[in-house]
């Protein structure tokens, strides 16, 4: 999924972002998931693909509509990466997660 970290090696930034995302005490884990996803895209050269069965992935795989194409593509890649890192995750209904 990502390049830039050798087999069996761990990226310190990935570990930090994942830990904060998964920590139940983190007030806004979605922000850390976004950071983790963009870190994979920008620093590891990840090339994520839409995940089968995910409505959001399907939405981003479609037309950008009125949104500039490059912006839409970045949103799509960020979502695909987030979806690959934390399949099925969504913010809590009260907006704190």
């Amino acid at each position: 999924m990502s390049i830039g970290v050798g087999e069996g090696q761990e990226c310190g930034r990935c570990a930090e972002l994942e830990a904060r995302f998964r920590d139940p005490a983190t007030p806004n884990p979605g922000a850390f998931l976004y950071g983790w996803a963009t870190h994979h895209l920008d620093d590891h050269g990840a090339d994520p693909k839409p995940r089968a069965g995910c409505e959001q992935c399907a939405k981003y795989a479609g037309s950008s509509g009125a949104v500039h194409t490059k912006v839409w593509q970045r949103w799509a890649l960020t979502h695909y990466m987030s979806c690959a890192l934390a399949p099925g995750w969504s913010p809590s209904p009260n907006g704190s997660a």
Side-chain angles (χ1 to χ4, degrees):
M1 181 185 315
S2 295
I3 57 173
V5 177
E7 187 69 31
Q9 295 179 330
E10 185 173 314
C11 169
R13 184 71 177 139
C14 285
E16 175 188 353
L17 291 165
E18 179 180 11
R20 292 294 307 272
F21 167 68
R22 298 198 186 284
D23 182 352
T26 298
N28 185 1
F32 288 94
L33 178 57
Y34 177 84
W36 189 19
T38 57
H39 167 69
H40 268 271
L41 295 171
D42 298 339
D43 298 332
H44 294 302
D47 185 24
K49 303 297 181 216
R51 189 173 60 87
C54 174
E55 290 181 26
Q56 285 289 96
C57 284
K59 176 184 108 173
Y60 283 117
S63 172
S64 63
V67 178
H68 189 280
T69 302
K70 285 187 179 184
V71 172
W72 187 259
Q73 289 170 345
R74 180 62 180 195
W75 289 350
L77 288 173
T78 302
H79 174 77
Y80 300 159
M81 193 73 245
S82 297
C83 198
L85 294 169
W89 183 84
S90 63
S92 69
N94 65 11
S96 65

